Amino acid sequence: MRGLTRAGKRASDMAFNAGGGAINWFPGHMAAASRAIRDRLKLADLVIEVRDARIPLSSANEDLQPVLSAKRRILALNKKDLANPNIMNMWLDHFQSSKQDCISLNAHSSNSINQLLGLVELKLREAILKEPTLLVMVVGVPNVGKSALINSIHRIANSRFPVNDKMKRARVGPLPGVTQDIAGYKIASQPSIYVLDTPGVLVPSIPDMETGLKLALTGAVKDSVVGEERIAKYLLSLLNIRKTPLHWERLLHRREEFDEDPDDSCEKGSRGSLRRRQRFNNSDALYVQDLVIEVQRTLCSTAMEFTGNLDEDNELESLIDSQLVALRKVFRIPHKPLDESHGAASKKLLTLFRSGKLGPFILDDLPGQQ
């Protein structure tokens, strides 16, 4: 845990970031939305603040914290399926010890949404007895899954609290900035409960490079603002400093043992026969699985073969450059003599990380363990 924070800080201070400048993304719609959110927060009976479970602190909008802390609030750490579960439990304990209601969830999981709705009912128990109409606001930085969460609430809440009105769906997208205005959705009757979906809003000026890079790596800041190669180099810095590729060696060895066909591999029911049937029936999924294994193997082998000193930033950057060159071959990106950029390989690597294919991660460190 202690090494993780040093890894994040060191990676953000490396030379590949020097020419990139500060990371800020605050387009016009965010400024207008920030003002509108503040106005409507005055009317909210409950706030669900959605954060990315991989960055439980870095995905908080610090400008809104003074207002949010004065409201009934639930911290919803979304995308828990992409976060290290053991460290996630420690984060939940941290928030609970701070007297903050917190839940980790997957916005696409019915079980998660039912747990969240149970907590919403508990938090609104007193207000339900007093008010005929209640307002729940969902807030958070871009691309933490607010709209996906609301759509799941729609689907599940209708069975718990029957609603006669025709339900609308919130727009959902893989890129930050899909929701650009505030929209209300009725999720319950008797009492009437409305949920407000709000645009993802960042602070006008991200306080430090490390926070900005974490937000970019998890997709809260548009790739075009930071540059995919810069984000990918930050990711590889973290992985190498934490020696993650070397940890993959044991995992890859176990996979190879499993995949080895026994002598009777042609027999029905054998492991080799099963693998071939799986490959035939689910070729796309197995292609991704095989690609991930090859990426992990490549990063592992380049790290093991590297003879430099990873404590020296310039030598670590040399390793990262060699890894990006090797990944171009893995991703079958054609070599162009005058093209030394790694944009295409960076994009594919980021896609694997953001989808959780490279494994579960939490990039923030617990307070007090830095």
Side-chain angles (χ1 to χ4, degrees):
M1 289 295 294
R2 294 178 187 273
L4 177 53
T5 294
R6 290 197 296 272
K9 183 66 171 66
R10 182 186 169 197
S12 64
D13 289 340
M14 290 181 63
F16 64 80
N17 275 314
I23 298 173
N24 287 306
W25 185 45
F26 197 69
H29 80 269
M30 280 193 194
S34 184
R35 292 191 295 269
I37 288 171
R38 288 179 180 274
D39 288 340
R40 286 164 175 77
L41 275 172
K42 300 172 185 176
L43 306 174
D45 298 286
L46 173 68
V47 178
I48 300 175
E49 183 188 357
V50 185
R51 298 185 189 178
D52 191 314
R54 296 167 294 180
I55 47 173
L57 290 184
S58 298
S59 57
N61 184 317
E62 290 299 331
D63 284 1
L64 291 177
Q65 292 308 304
V67 182
L68 296 177
S69 61
K71 307 290 295 185
R72 291 188 190 91
R73 174 173 59 165
I74 297 173
L75 278 184
L77 304 181
N78 190 28
K79 305 185 183 183
K80 74 172 186 178
D81 51 310
L82 305 180
N84 183 304
N86 295 325
I87 301 176
M88 187 76 269
N89 288 333
M90 297 171 68
W91 273 102
L92 293 174
D93 290 340
H94 165 74
F95 286 119
Q96 296 293 350
S97 67
S98 304
K99 308 300 181 185
Q100 173 61 65
D101 291 301
C102 181
I103 183 173
S104 63
L105 55 82
N106 175 353
H108 301 286
S109 163
S110 298
N111 184 53
S112 286
I113 301 304
N114 277 314
Q115 291 181 23
L116 175 62
L117 287 174
L119 189 54
V120 167
E121 287 182 82
L122 182 64
K123 295 285 286 185
L124 289 177
R125 182 172 296 170
E126 291 183 7
I128 286 173
L129 299 176
K130 300 175 183 178
E131 301 291 340
T133 301
L134 299 172
L135 180 63
V136 177
M137 281 191 70
V138 180
V139 301
V141 301
N143 207 30
V144 290
K146 297 181 300 298
S147 296
L149 177 65
I150 286 180
N151 285 334
S152 294
I153 289 175
H154 273 173
R155 186 181 69 253
I156 294 173
N158 191 41
S159 62
R160 294 175 61 140
F161 317 104
V163 178
N164 294 325
D165 301 348
K166 184 177 180 180
M167 295 188 298
K168 300 177 182 178
R169 290 180 61 84
R171 290 179 62 204
V172 178
L175 301 177
V178 172
T179 304
Q180 296 194 0
D181 55 6
I182 295 178
Y185 306 89
K186 188 174 184 179
I187 65 164
S189 300
Q190 298 178 349
S192 296
I193 300 179
Y194 291 85
V195 172
L196 285 188
D197 185 19
T198 62
V201 174
L202 292 166
V203 295
S205 179
I206 296 174
D208 58 80
M209 185 75 74
E210 183 181 357
T211 298
L213 286 167
K214 288 177 181 177
L215 289 167
L217 179 55
T218 54
V221 176
K222 280 188 175 180
D223 287 346
S224 58
V225 173
V226 183
E228 289 165 337
E229 185 170 335
R230 183 181 175 192
I231 303 171
K233 285 185 174 182
Y234 176 68
L235 170 60
L236 289 173
S237 298
L238 290 175
L239 295 178
N240 286 304
I241 293 170
R242 297 171 62 188
K243 304 187 185 304
T244 302
L246 300 182
H247 297 321
W248 284 337
E249 182 188 13
R250 293 189 297 271
L251 176 63
L252 291 168
H253 181 67
R254 288 198 298 269
R255 283 174 175 168
E256 288 172 355
E257 287 182 337
F258 178 81
D259 288 342
E260 286 181 358
D261 290 349
D263 294 337
D264 58 347
S265 60
C266 294
E267 294 181 10
K268 184 178 179 181
S270 70
R271 184 179 297 163
S273 173
L274 176 61
R275 287 279 293 177
R276 278 190 291 276
R277 289 201 305 276
Q278 288 175 331
R279 189 176 297 277
F280 178 79
N281 294 330
N282 198 6
S283 57
D284 289 344
L286 274 166
Y287 167 75
V288 173
Q289 178 182 324
D290 291 344
L291 179 63
V292 169
I293 291 173
E294 192 58 34
V295 168
Q296 291 177 327
R297 182 180 288 114
T298 298
L299 295 181
C300 177
S301 62
T302 50
M304 293 180 67
E305 294 166 5
F306 185 69
T307 58
N309 183 1
L310 292 183
D311 291 332
E312 297 293 332
D313 287 355
N314 62 330
E315 296 195 37
L316 175 57
E317 290 201 44
S318 175
L319 170 61
I320 291 169
D321 286 336
S322 69
Q323 287 175 328
L324 285 171
V325 170
L327 288 175
R328 290 177 70 153
K329 298 178 182 178
V330 174
F331 294 132
R332 299 181 182 179
I333 298 169
H335 175 69
K336 298 179 182 178
L338 299 179
D339 181 15
E340 296 183 356
S341 68
H342 302 295
S346 298
K347 184 174 183 177
K348 290 179 181 295
L349 179 65
L350 291 176
T351 298
L352 292 179
F353 171 81
R354 288 167 177 167
S355 61
K357 303 299 184 185
L358 295 181
F361 292 89
I362 292 184
L363 307 179
D364 281 341
D365 198 9
L366 284 159
Q369 297 193 9
Q370 300 183 10

